[in-house]
Amino acid sequence: GQSLEQPSEVTAVEGAIVQINCTYQTSGFYGLSWYQQHDGGAPTFLSYNALDGLEETGRFSSFLSRSDSYGYLLLQELQMKDSASYFCAVGTGDKLIFGTGTRLQVFP
Amino acid sequence: GAGVSQTPSNKVTEKGKYVELRCDPISGHTALYWYRQSLGQGPEFLIYFQGTGAADDSGLPNDRFFAVRPEGSVSTLKIQRTERGDSAVYLCASSLNAGGRNEQFFGPGTRLTVL
């Protein structure tokens, strides 16, 4: 079967850096994606890692270690608008399996 | 351009009734996915289409759930004999192709409430 684990909640202040971890157990793994979802909104794609290492996209970076079945999303220079839920998702076959999500609250 | 659209945005029904939820993917996207999301949870995979055919329906919870995509564009998720446990937000997503690093674009969802 598949399982993904993320912390349920993280809090931080504006301007800070926060790391959201994701560990997974799955068969047929081909990559790890991250999605952001604001309350009442649709999930939106943030990043994707197929190979080990760091992918950087502006203020957001994502890391993957396939040997450790582990990844993280790093958010820098936090802004209030970053308050949202963040989901890691494992690509297996041609579909995504999502984690339960991490709710990030950014305080002024 | 237009994103993924879903109708209705909200649907309230009574236990035992039949419902249809519609998804209009981004034009040209061959892959279409249905998910179900309960409060405080991540999207739960239900089924995905590559073109007109259901390539993987392993996430459908039981035979009350069925989905079609007859012309390879619009898809309809059908739920028969609805139960209170079916209450959730049903999300549709599309991507240019299935698998790999293909980003999925999500619609706003249909909030289904079964009374």
Side-chain angles (χ1 to χ4, degrees):
Chain A
Q2 339 272 2
S3 70
L4 294 93
E5 290 189 13
Q6 302 178 235
S8 59
E9 189 167 354
V10 174
T11 59
V13 296
E14 271 188 302
I17 300 172
V18 73
Q19 178 174 314
I20 300 174
N21 298 321
C22 173
T23 57
Y24 60 87
Q25 287 186 321
T26 185
S27 56
F29 173 90
Y30 64 72
L32 188 71
S33 300
W34 288 91
Y35 282 75
Q36 177 193 60
Q37 186 177 32
H38 287 98
D39 285 348
T44 56
F45 174 83
L46 291 177
S47 69
Y48 173 80
N49 294 71
L51 303 175
D52 286 2
L54 195 67
E55 292 278 344
E56 297 180 75
T57 310
R59 293 187 297 115
F60 295 175
S61 303
S62 58
F63 172 83
L64 174 65
S65 169
R66 296 175 70 113
S67 59
D68 295 323
S69 297
Y70 164 76
Y72 66 72
L73 180 70
L74 190 74
L75 299 89
Q76 303 182 70
E77 300 171 19
L78 282 173
Q79 302 175 8
M80 296 294 291
K81 67 178 182 180
D82 297 330
S83 293
S85 292
Y86 292 83
F87 297 92
C88 61
V90 166
T92 174
D94 285 332
K95 66 191 183 203
L96 292 177
I97 304 298
F98 283 81
T100 52
T102 298
R103 188 172 182 85
L104 170 64
Q105 293 192 59
V106 180
F107 294 97
Chain B
V4 177
S5 62
Q6 293 186 245
T7 54
S9 55
N10 279 282
K11 176 69 177 179
V12 180
T13 190
E14 293 179 343
K15 181 175 179 294
K17 299 290 188 184
Y18 168 83
V19 296
E20 288 190 355
L21 312 179
R22 175 187 168 110
C23 172
D24 253 293
I26 293 171
S27 178
H29 280 194
T30 62
L32 184 147
Y33 305 81
W34 283 100
Y35 296 88
R36 176 169 70 176
Q37 187 173 29
S38 300
L39 194 63
Q41 300 295 312
E44 174 194 4
F45 171 80
L46 296 177
I47 184 172
Y48 103 87
F49 291 86
Q50 181 63 40
T52 60
D56 186 337
D57 64 358
S58 61
L60 295 177
N62 51 60
D63 62 5
R64 295 187 297 107
F65 289 74
F66 189 71
V68 295
R69 193 186 186 200
E71 297 178 359
S73 178
V74 170
S75 176
T76 305
L77 178 66
K78 309 180 181 195
I79 311 174
Q80 298 178 320
R81 304 184 304 280
T82 51
E83 299 177 357
R84 293 196 179 88
D86 299 335
S87 296
V89 175
Y90 288 80
L91 294 166
C92 174
S94 70
S95 66
L96 197 57
N97 294 293
R101 67 174 299 133
N102 287 290
E103 173 184 350
Q104 292 189 17
F105 295 83
F106 281 81
T110 294
R111 181 175 298 278
L112 176 66
T113 303
V114 181
L115 301 176

